[in-house]
Each structure stands twice: as structure tokens, then as C-alpha cells.
Amino acid sequence: MRSGWYTPFCLVLAGVLLLSPIGWWGPSVAKAAPSMEPFPSFSDTVRSAGMTVKTYGFEQGNSDGWKPRGAYTQIASVTEAAYGGTHSLKATARTAAWNRAELDVKPLLLPDLEYEISGYVKLDGNAAIPSVLKFTIEQQQTGGTTTWKTVAQAETAGTSWIKLQGRYTFTGEMNALKLYVENSNPAQAYYVDEVEIRQVSVTRTNPTSGIVSGFEDGTAQGWVSRLGAETVQVSNADARTGSYSLLTTGRQKAYAGPKLDVTTTMQKGSRYTVSAWVKLVSGEQPAKVRLSVQRDHQGQSAYETVVGDTTIATGGWIHLSGTYTFAHDADAVSMYLESPEGTSSFYMDDFELSLVPPLAIEKDIPSLHGLYQGQFSIGTAIEAFQTEGAYGELVQKHFNSVVAGNAMKPASLQPSEGQFHWEEADQIVQFARQHGLEIRFHTLVWHNQTGDWMFKDKNRQPMTPTAENKKLLLDRLETHIRAVAARYKKVITDWDVVNEVIDPDQPDGMRRSKWYQITGTEYIEKAFRVTREVAGPNARLFINDYNTHEPKKRDFLYNLVRDLLAQGVPIDGVGHQTHIRLEFPTIAEIEQSIEKFASLGLDNQITELDMGLYSNDTDRYETIPEAMLIRQAYRYQALFDMFTRQQEHISNVTIWGTDDGNTWLSTFPIARLDKPLLFDERLKAKYAYWELVDPSKVPPLPAESNE
């Protein structure tokens, strides 16, 4: 992807495995029907926060309602190991990673309440490679699909007790809820003890309808100074509506501004519209402002742009509006106004945060991937939250391939040296395996979204081009690739090994990234060779870039790949990002590039397809004209007609996003409404979809079109 964090951005086997989700290490879900006393319904009792719902210590010498899953799996209360008391539950005779102990928790849990689930797990003997131990809940939604939520996980290769602890909430009616203990190492026995389920919320956790801040009561209505140095106060000096607005002055940093805590309003997995009006204080020069979110989780903060940099002219109110999907775990969430630079004082009025009604897909329309069966697979880019709910249903219906939009990029997987964060990537992989979807990996090497530590020398100073630093950087590269490829080599076949290495403005065509400055082109060769060694001979390895239709850039990339192939570097294909617009490039230019790389005997994949509606970087529509959406539809058809012509040379076409509500183009190159994909923000099929499926449903091409 050309730009990274711009949006807050989801093999069916025969026989018995049809009912078993497949994790990255193999089958991981089982079914059982433990017999338990029914728990009183919510209407029968009101539980207090912190109430223990159930504990399992196995001290009575039985499995206490837990059941085995797997043809040969056995579970029993044993005395050979225990975290508390004298007994624990042991799972043995496991022949696959998904063989396990599980518990029916449907009688225990109520919708829209938050629970804390904790317990201790211990391996029976040292592991040759670290085991991933998990608490997972299988959800079988009434009238819907089966999904899986990881509650807690940890890695260990030793035999010490490991504590797993996490929180869990579900919404809607469920046919089944199963809590189970996963172990990524097949055939390895484990113990579990002191499992506790606690209710930690008193009231149901449904998100509120939203927040409206008009300041007409003369108070700041919860808005405070973000950094503490700036002054945030209600003012009657100016207002968009009514008599009052919120005035922020004394800003000493660009990221200083008014902040509102929205933790109790927002719920993970929900989508919100956000709107605010901003005006500069009299005397200030034109400036830019943006609306952002800060998420705090386990002592670390992450930042997301909701409405990108928007210019405010002197003397008028400007409207900031956008959508935000609360997609990640967080202990605290706040929204705030900031600027990319400068410290101008400004007013803010009529802030609104509103819950978007639940999404639903159109289930009675043709599946997109079915149209191209036997030609090429059809993929989409997703984030972990899109493996659930309506997004997950959309992906399952229309796509047979997925790629992680951000979760597998270097900074996501290894933000600091040696500290790997696998959870979101694993969730996407498990979802794909459960539903028979191919998986593309994006990306092992990139100059963006790579931890700063990667380019620091042994003294933690920025690297300079020395022999010592070259070796250190290449060693770090190899370590990263070996860890990632080893984890996913059995389930991922297509790998974006290096991403965006070409800069046509350089004399030799090579991007002057830190990678290139320190190692020359050796990092490219190293990356492909190590990936081949670890991922195996059946892995398909790609070099990926944008604007490959431009003749100058195309030829630089062609020459690089040709030379690397001559040196025996294992490159199997070229990834063409294909972020295009309504007006350009021509279909012929894209086709010529595909044919050129095919002449080297290489596969081609369209890796990040979207079609922006604007012809420049400055226009902005409040409402997209229907004529533009019709033209977009016809251009999509022409593009896919070309893909069909070139199907011998194309193995995959991946759309960069599920829907118009989840596109990086909402904030790049500026904050504006854009609709570049096949489904709208409500997951409804657009003209672009119908032109591919049933052109009779699309109005005639507008007369002024040149298509």
C-alpha cells in the first residue's frame, strides 16, 4: 500500500473438519454439550460488578463440566500438577492442535455484559518450539455465522504455570458459546487450573446513542485540555449556533487542543459518525486542523486520524466530518482536535458523535468471486475487526482471498526488537482458514511502517552507511523474516516480500530508503532468499509496487527484477498495487505492464485495487454525483474485462478494502469523501458491483463520458 495508517481500518475441509475452524497451526475448534445447571436469566437476577460467576479448580476429582474435543482426546482431573489445591484438569492424547478441553458457557454468560476470564495453563514437558496457549470462545450466533474470539493468549516453551486473563463481551442471541483452551503444538498435553469467570460490569455495555456538545449550558461538557498547558473554556465571543462555543487558546504544541473522553460511549466493533465545526480566532492566519483519536491499552498509546488535515480560512466556520470504527482493544479512548503544524487558537462548536446502526449485507445477490472462478481469485484487504459480524459475512460471501491491511506490516508485528505482536494477524489467518480463504501476506519489507529500532545502530543512534551497520541491518531483516515466515509458512502461500523499492526520479530508479542507504540492493536479494528458505519451495514470492503502469517506473522495476532473476534470486511474481482514478491511467497502460512482466515468465497479481473518483488532490464533494458512480462502474468493467483477457498471467485480484466506509482514500491525499470500492459504507452493492455482475441494473453511461 502506498500509504499506511490512513484508515482505522477479515480451506473448508471435507468431512468432520467442516465443523472445525482451522487456526494457523491446524484445526482449533470443537463442539461439545456439557451438562450444567441453568444460570438465572438477566430478568431473574441482577448481578453486581465483580461478582464471580463460576470457578473451576477440579478439586472434586472430576472434569466439572469440561469436555474433550478430538477423536482421541482425553481429559481428567489429576493430582500430578496443580496451581491451587491438589488437582488440575489435564488434556492428553491430542493428535492435532485443535484437540482440547472445552466448556459450554452459554448458561453462564449474558449478552451485553462484560466478563473477565482468567486461569492458569501449564505444558506437560518442555516444548521444542514455543507453544501458543489461548483462551478462545466460539460463538454460534442465532441465524448467523460462527465466529471465534481470542480472550487471552501467551507463549511458553517451559513447564511453568502461565496465567491467561482477558475480557469478553458478546451481543445478540447465541445458539452456543464454548470456552476452550488452545495449544498450538499438536500432540502435546497440557494442564489447566483455577479458571474463573467474573462479571465486571453492572449494566449492559451497549453503546449509547452518542454525544452532542453544543455548550449552551455554559459548561465545557466534558472537554478538557489535552496537554494541560493550553486553555480550554466555554466562550460567548463567537458561536456557530446558539450563544456559546468552546475556545482553545495558549497552544504550545501542534498536537495540543481540546479533548473529550469517549471510553464509556464507544464499543469495540461499532462504527460512528463524527462531526464538528471549527473557526479560527480573529487575527489568526489560515491554518489546518484535524480530528484524531487516542487509544490507550496496557500502558501504550496509539493514534488514528478520523478527519484529516482541513484548511480553515480566516473568518468562517469549517465543517469536519468523518466516520470511525472502534476496531481495537482499549482501556481508554479520547477524541481531540489538533493541527499538523502551528498553534493557532480556535473555536469549536456543535460536536456530534453518533452510533451508526448495525450493518447487514445483501445475502441474495451473486458472490463476486464466483464470477471469476477458474480465472483468478478475488481478494480484499481487512483488519482483524472485519473477521466478525457483517464485515465477516461480506468477506465470506464475495471474496476467496484476504490480505491484512495493516496487521502484518513490520511495525505491527515487531514494533520493538524481539517483541512480536501476533494477535491481530493470527485472528485474520484463523478467520481465513476457517472459511476456506486464500491468504496473501503484506508485507515483509517496507520503508514505511517499520519500527524505528530497525534502523538504529548498536548504540541506538540512527544508522549511517558502514560495514558494521550493514551487517546489523541485514541480520535484523533475516531475524524478522525467519520469525514471520516460520509462523505462517503452512497457511500462507503468496508473500509480498519487498514493497515499493522503485523511485523513478532517481538516476538508477532505486528508492533512497534506509534499506538502500545502508545495504544497497542487498536487502532485496536477502529478503527473497531467506523467505524462500523458510517458507519453502511452494511459496509464491512477489515484489510489490504502485504506479507500475507508468513506463519509466515500470521499466526500472522490470530491469531490477530481470537482473535479480539472472542472479538466481527467487522471485515468482510482480504485485501491481493499482491505486487508480476515474480519469487515469488508461486500461492499456495497465495491460502493457502485465504483459511486460509476464514476458519474464512471472505471475502478476493486482494487489491493492481501488478507483478514486477525483482527478486531482484538491477537489472535495459533500455528496458524490451519481454520474461519477456510473462512470466508475463502466471503468471497473473495462478493467476486469482486461483482467479476464490476461487471466493466463494473473492469479489474483485484490480490492484494497471491503467497502467505502473503510478506505485509506478518506484521508489521503486530503480529508474528503471518496467512494473507490464495489460496496458502499453500508455494505450495499454499488453500480460498480452490478456492472460486473448484471449490467442491466446500471444506468447508461453519461453522455459526456469518454470511456
Side-chain angles (χ1 to χ4, degrees), residues 496-622:
D496 284 343
V497 179
V498 295
N499 190 44
E500 299 179 1
V501 302
I502 298 297
D503 179 357
D505 293 330
Q506 298 295 335
D508 60 357
M510 297 306 301
R511 180 183 294 277
R512 295 309 194 254
S513 66
K514 279 290 187 182
W515 292 109
Y516 183 85
Q517 293 173 34
I518 304 300
T519 77
T521 60
E522 285 188 44
Y523 76 99
I524 301 174
E525 178 181 347
K526 181 87 167 182
F528 276 98
R529 292 193 188 279
V530 173
T531 306
R532 170 67 76 220
E533 178 186 340
V534 181
N538 295 325
R540 297 193 295 181
L541 311 185
F542 291 82
I543 185 168
N544 191 54
D545 219 317
Y546 64 92
N547 287 355
T548 56
H549 61 273
E550 294 179 354
K552 186 177 180 182
K553 185 168 187 177
R554 176 199 67 201
D555 291 346
F556 274 130
L557 180 60
Y558 176 90
N559 293 337
L560 172 67
V561 173
R562 180 199 60 200
D563 293 345
L564 290 171
L565 289 171
Q567 299 169 37
V569 177
I571 301 174
D572 299 306
V574 173
H576 306 264
Q577 291 186 14
T578 323
H579 296 293
I580 65 175
R581 295 191 179 185
L582 194 58
E583 303 290 346
F584 54 85
T586 67
I587 304 297
E589 287 175 317
I590 301 172
E591 187 168 21
Q592 289 163 11
S593 183
I594 292 169
E595 291 175 338
K596 188 175 183 72
F597 287 103
S599 71
L600 290 174
L602 295 175
D603 184 22
N604 291 267
Q605 294 192 348
I606 310 303
T607 57
E608 304 179 19
L609 175 62
D610 50 29
M611 189 184 298
L613 295 172
Y614 298 92
S615 61
N616 57 55
D617 293 348
T618 57
D619 288 349
R620 180 188 287 112
Y621 287 103
E622 289 292 329

Side-chain angles (χ1 to χ4, degrees), residues 278-281 284-288 310-318:
V278 181
K279 181 181 180 181
L280 292 173
V281 169
E284 296 281 9
Q285 295 299 310
K288 293 182 178 180
T310 305
T311 301
I312 311 175
T314 302
W317 289 90
I318 190 74

Side-chain angles (χ1 to χ4, degrees), residues 56 83 116-121 135 152 161-166 191-197:
Y56 299 89
Y83 181 82
E116 182 179 83
I117 301 174
S118 62
Y120 294 84
V121 184
F135 278 161
W161 286 98
I162 301 295
K163 185 176 184 179
L164 300 179
Q165 180 173 310
Y191 305 91
V192 59
D193 201 6
E194 298 299 319
V195 177
E196 181 181 29
I197 302 174

